[in-house]
Amino acid sequence: MTVLVTGAAGFIGFHLASTLLDRGERVVGVDNFIHFYEPALKRARAAELQTRDGFVFHELDVADAAGLEALLERYPEIDRVLHMAGQPGVRHSIEKPWEFQRSNIDGQLAMVEAVRKRPGFKHLVFASSSSVYGDSKDVPFALDNPADRPRSLYAASKRAAEHIAAAYSHLYGTPITALRFFTVYGPWGRPDMASFLFIDAVLRGNKLFLFNGGALKRDFTYIDDIVAGVLAALDRPPAPDSEGLRYAVYNLGNHRTVDVRDFVKVIEKACGRKALIEEAPMQPGDVHVTYADISASTRDLGYVPRTPIEQGIPLTVAWYKRHYGLN
């Protein structure tokens, strides 16, 4: 059968589509190339996928409910969905709140409404975020930690997407899994993320801004580990719980927290250059720490992250140099 991957030209969606193709799946990819960051990088990812047998691509906004339903009708063989499309960015959500409602809430509603009508549909897996935990002081972040104090509209929109999914699973029995990602990095990464920004600054000799003076901790998770966790979830639709609900939530992180200043040191070593550091204040909507409790993911999905930053960062730097033609 066939997997629909939304946000296929995005960072995580691109890697998921590539790995699905590697294992012999047919993939339908969609993306609307929203201009949150340089469209050229998204176009390059999409072009890379379009060289692969078994992949077809459609430019589509998943919040276009009629367009999404028409696409699914065109491909009746689609029986699973990896819904990675959405508007990312904690700080950007403060400036462009309506974009986040459309992408992350309207898009989620369009998706669950579309798949619940499909006979024989097997599983919807969608991207949530560690941001739903807010600035929690209870670490590591466990699934039973409160997620009712969002620090940004981005976090609120992802939590809303989880509630929408749970409601639809309850109403229609749709098997749905939410995955809370923790600070994903790696080749083809998003230019707004710390790993990309830091590598870019160090290699080009530009200032590297450390918010809150770098006194932040993050659970940096390499893309290959995330892909392994997502596909493990895809292959294991949730069984009915005690109330008959076929809905599950998991954390996907590295299960270790790294001081951002130490993260910069690893980047400096991989780049062979020192960073020009400038300290900056804490940003609105940001949090002090992210740290995943992955015990449920390990128990149910066999998820075991294997890539420390000392391995993942050099791989990311090597890709960056190749892609942008830097020595």
Side-chain angles (χ1 to χ4, degrees):
M1 300 300 281
T2 300
V3 182
L4 172 64
V5 179
T6 72
F11 172 34
I12 297 174
F14 164 77
H15 283 279
L16 286 169
S18 298
T19 305
L20 285 167
L21 293 166
D22 288 343
R23 75 180 199 177
E25 301 263 16
R26 293 186 59 81
V27 177
V28 176
V30 302
D31 206 291
N32 69 341
F33 300 104
I34 191 169
H35 285 205
F36 172 56
Y37 57 82
E38 58 171 302
L41 183 57
K42 296 182 182 182
R43 296 284 179 186
R45 296 189 192 114
E48 184 87 4
L49 289 171
Q50 287 173 293
T51 67
R52 303 286 302 275
D53 291 337
F55 180 81
V56 294
F57 183 80
H58 294 271
E59 190 163 342
L60 175 71
D61 180 354
V62 293
D64 174 4
L68 182 60
E69 290 219 20
L71 178 79
L72 287 168
E73 288 174 5
R74 181 173 176 177
Y75 295 97
E77 68 272 22
I78 290 173
D79 62 352
R80 291 153 294 154
V81 174
L82 292 177
H83 182 34
M84 300 294 116
Q87 176 65 69
V90 167
R91 296 169 197 130
H92 189 62
S93 70
I94 297 171
E95 300 167 1
K96 303 284 186 180
W98 295 110
E99 290 183 8
F100 285 76
Q101 173 180 303
R102 177 168 177 80
S103 293
N104 298 350
I105 298 177
D106 294 353
Q108 178 77 334
L109 183 57
M111 179 58 72
V112 295
E113 181 65 12
V115 300
R116 65 99 173 170
K117 301 173 183 178
R118 294 178 70 79
F121 183 75
K122 293 180 179 177
H123 197 190
L124 167 63
V125 177
F126 72 94
S128 187
S129 170
S130 63
S131 294
V132 302
Y133 291 109
D135 203 13
S136 177
K137 303 300 185 291
D138 297 326
V139 292
F141 296 172
L143 295 175
D144 58 0
N145 277 26
D148 57 355
R149 296 288 181 92
R151 297 294 294 263
S152 66
L153 185 66
Y154 169 67
S157 71
K158 285 298 187 181
R159 187 65 172 132
E162 292 183 356
H163 286 313
I164 290 168
Y168 264 69
S169 184
H170 170 73
L171 289 169
Y172 303 108
T174 309
I176 305 178
T177 297
L179 299 176
R180 294 173 176 174
F181 297 141
F182 282 70
T183 319
V184 188
Y185 75 98
W188 295 98
R190 277 173 33 206
D192 64 302
M193 297 293 284
S195 58
F196 194 109
L197 289 168
F198 292 176
I199 290 168
D200 180 83
V202 173
L203 288 177
R204 297 181 188 274
N206 297 329
K207 288 182 180 178
L208 188 161
F209 293 95
L210 284 185
F211 298 117
N212 200 40
L216 302 169
K217 295 180 183 294
R218 294 289 181 266
D219 194 336
F220 293 103
T221 314
Y222 190 63
I223 184 61
D224 288 1
D225 292 326
I226 289 292
V227 167
V230 174
L231 296 186
L234 180 68
D235 295 339
R236 296 167 174 82
D241 65 13
S242 59
E243 298 180 353
L245 188 66
R246 299 191 67 189
Y247 175 71
V249 181
Y250 295 104
N251 290 332
L252 292 187
N254 204 30
H255 192 51
R256 65 188 71 185
T257 187
V258 176
D259 190 291
V260 169
R261 289 166 293 202
D262 293 332
F263 189 67
V264 172
K265 291 176 183 176
V266 175
I267 289 174
E268 288 176 323
K269 183 177 179 181
C271 293
R273 302 182 186 183
K274 296 294 289 183
L276 301 176
I277 293 174
E278 182 165 317
E279 295 188 357
M282 188 79 168
Q283 296 294 286
D286 214 345
V287 299
H288 289 84
V289 61
T290 65
Y291 183 11
D293 178 342
I294 60 170
S295 55
S297 308
T298 301
R299 180 193 68 223
D300 296 348
L301 308 178
Y303 173 70
V304 180
R306 304 183 185 280
T307 314
I309 59 171
E310 291 79 9
Q311 179 182 343
I313 285 298
L315 293 170
T316 308
V317 169
W319 167 82
Y320 185 96
K321 289 180 176 179
R322 288 194 306 272
H323 187 75
Y324 291 100
L326 298 177
N327 295 323

